[in-house]
Amino acid sequence: MSNVLVSPIGPDISCQSWEIEGLLRLFLNSIDPRVAESSKDLIVYGGRGKAARNHDAVQAIIHELQTLSTDETLLIQSGKPIGKFRTFERSPRIVNASSILVPAWSTDEHFRELISKGLMMYGQSTAASWAYIGVQGVLQGTFEIMGEIADRHFDHTLRGKIVLTSGLGGMGAAQPLSVTMHGGVSIVVEISEDKIKQRLKNNYCDIKVDSLQEAVQLAQEAASAKKPLAIALVGNVSERYREALEIGFIPDIVTDQTSAHDLHNGYIPSGVTLEQAAVLRKKNKTHYHHLIKESLTLHDKAMVSFKEQGAILFEYGNNLRNQAYNAGFKDAFNIQGFASEYLRPLYCEGRGPCRWIALSGDPEDIYRIDDIVLEEFKHDQRVIRWIKYVQEKIYFYGLPARTCWLNYEERERIGFIINEMVKSGELSAPIAITRDHSEGSTMAAPYRETEKMFDGSDIVADWPILNAMLNASAGASMVSIQNGGGVGVGNSVHSGMTVIADGSDEASERLRNVLVVDPGMSIIRHADAGYEQAEKSLDKLYMGKR
Ligand code: NAD
């Protein structure tokens, strides 16, 4: 294998089985320069989320996988392979733990110290579990949330509605596209002109404007004509939101996806340019932090005012409320969290973010599966709209992949179908079936997925650990447990799983088990917490009978 860090493609394999080869390809795909944010630093996404601890570990992982037997299990600790043991052919080929600290020491400070000693790495969510597939993953999460809002508040569409949001970064850029996909109009405030240029070039936004008045006028005209339009507005979120309130502009939906989780290098305080911020944060830290506190408070207050005047308001997982609260704004949490409000009802039914990756490297394999999904799930308009739109708008880079939110029984069904397609030769090579970590039983995160649980179990982290152990018992090819994800060290515990569908009968059995227990646990976790919808869904579960 060459030193170039890209996934092999095609029918020839360098490992002892397709199951192991599939995991090797996923690993190399995560650090492929076309997929990873910074391949040379092994950063996959999300600031510092990595797939391997260092370059020596990369070579060691490749070597270990190429020499792994089909009845052995490889152990990976924070991105470094540390040994392998004989287990069973049906056991996971990899068990993986990253960024986990003893709870009382689970702080960023301790973690940074361990990183500087070379003892750990930050795994983000799908970075350490080698299931990252680029912007498509976050795009579908945002699409589902906008779809849920449309279903719940606006007759299943955002046509004629205006969304005010901010941040056109790696994840935030999915916002205007998702609103467009549901027929709505968006105004996205972004401080960086370069980011706006990039988003215009990729067609994520349609037009750039410099004044709020112009943005509002264009938005209202498009909304009246029931036409989608994505407007990028240059400016600072804290200032622009207050300005909108001053002129009496109340959008239908308000949120924000600036990098408020990172007050050191991410969020830009009001009153300074990007260039001034870069200087100030080095030269006058105290003044810079004072500006940040002021800005966050006014930002959060403005959002709460929109809600008081009738807008639908939610925080989009960037830790804004907590930061504003710590900055001294006591009502900062008068904003609902996106996960508890819009995703939890889906978790209660076992609906969640499935994804499949073509190990052949051939996009045709994904398009063939798309055709089956369009036929098999034609009753689900959201799935149809998603597949058709994403086929047109999203191009593949690295291994071709598709993400798709599916219901409880549908996940088992698609797993079976894909494995049969591999078996019959309809697909040119095996497929990896995996998912995001942001799921019903797989993420304990009190500021996101498990915020305000009905029974108060927000900080209980038994669930993702149980999920990982159950997936390992059920036959997943790789199982991961991690700490931190998108909310930072100490703020979440989560788990990942992957099964390689290689067309064998054994893979069929593994898929049947894993794709039942994984979403099934989401239903059980929410039924246990007292959610009526989940209690009703319990009837669907396989609980000891087959
Ligand atoms: P990013 O750092 O790539 O982008 C942030 C953008 O915000 C940048 O373009 C920056 O120029 C802009 N910005 C910063 N301060 C601003 C200000 N005051 N006014 C206007 N623009 C400003 O981050 P990202 O990957 O896009 O993620 C954004 C945030 O959303 C992060 O906090 C991330 O953790 C969170 N996030 C949440 C979820 C989720 O829960 N659904 C998913 C992904 C990301």
Side-chain angles (χ1 to χ4, degrees), residues 323-465:
Q323 303 282 34
Y325 183 83
N326 292 337
F329 180 41
K330 295 298 165 228
D331 293 331
F333 277 88
N334 277 354
I335 302 177
Q336 65 194 0
F338 79 103
S340 57
E341 187 62 24
Y342 295 112
L343 296 185
R344 191 162 302 149
L346 306 180
Y347 297 155
C348 285
E349 295 181 4
R351 186 177 176 91
C354 223
R355 61 180 62 165
W356 42 90
I357 303 169
L359 299 171
S360 61
D362 184 355
E364 281 308 316
D365 283 350
I366 294 297
Y367 294 133
R368 283 188 195 107
I369 300 172
D370 281 351
D371 288 344
I372 298 288
V373 170
L374 288 171
E375 181 54 34
E376 192 74 22
F377 307 120
K378 58 178 174 236
H379 55 275
D380 190 333
Q381 277 313 307
R382 220 187 276 176
V383 168
I384 304 296
R385 200 183 302 166
W386 163 253
I387 297 285
K388 290 197 166 159
Y389 199 94
V390 84
Q391 276 186 340
E392 197 187 307
K393 294 279 179 188
I394 295 288
Y395 55 89
F396 297 124
Y397 41 92
L399 294 178
R402 183 68 78 229
T403 172
C404 189
W405 278 58
L406 291 174
N407 292 331
Y408 172 65
E409 282 142 332
E410 294 173 348
R411 292 205 241 179
E412 184 190 1
R413 178 93 191 115
I414 196 67
F416 174 78
I417 290 172
I418 289 175
N419 199 52
E420 290 297 302
M421 289 171 84
V422 176
K423 186 188 282 182
S424 69
E426 213 177 321
L427 302 177
S428 60
I431 300 283
I433 300 185
T434 180
R435 60 153 166 76
D436 195 3
H437 286 209
S438 180
E439 254 264 47
S441 71
T442 61
M443 176 75 79
Y447 295 130
R448 275 182 41 169
E449 283 76 359
T450 52
E451 176 177 351
K452 290 192 190 145
M453 290 295 288
F454 191 61
D455 62 349
S457 59
D458 306 22
I459 61 169
V460 175
D462 296 338
W463 295 99
I465 305 295

Side-chain angles (χ1 to χ4, degrees), residues 37 45-47 124 138 141-142 145 166-173 189-192 195 199 233 235-239 256-262 265-270 274 295 299 315-320 338-339 343 438 448-449 485-487:
E37 227 167 77
Y45 79 106
Q124 252 289 351
V138 68
T142 314
I145 287 163
S166 50
L168 284 172
M171 303 287 155
V189 181
E190 167 59 58
I191 200 155
S192 157
K195 281 277 158 65
R199 302 315 173 200
L233 171 63
N236 186 298
V237 60
S238 186
E239 294 165 24
D256 149 57
Q257 226 179 80
T258 52
S259 36
H261 72 285
D262 179 0
N265 297 312
Y267 186 82
I268 307 295
S270 153
L274 270 174
S295 187
H299 175 175
E315 188 217 72
Y316 203 1
N318 63 352
N319 215 17
L320 171 73
F338 79 103
L343 296 185
S438 180
R448 275 182 41 169
E449 283 76 359
V487 275

Side-chain angles (χ1 to χ4, degrees), residues 187 210-217 233 240 243-244 247 249:
I187 301 176
D210 293 300
S211 88
L212 177 73
Q213 278 77 3
E214 196 186 348
V216 171
Q217 192 188 338
L233 171 63
R240 291 301 197 186
E243 204 185 329
I247 64 165
F249 170 61

Side-chain angles (χ1 to χ4, degrees), residues 8 43 51 94 114 291 374 522:
I43 304 283
I94 298 179
L114 290 161
L291 289 178
L374 288 171
S522 176

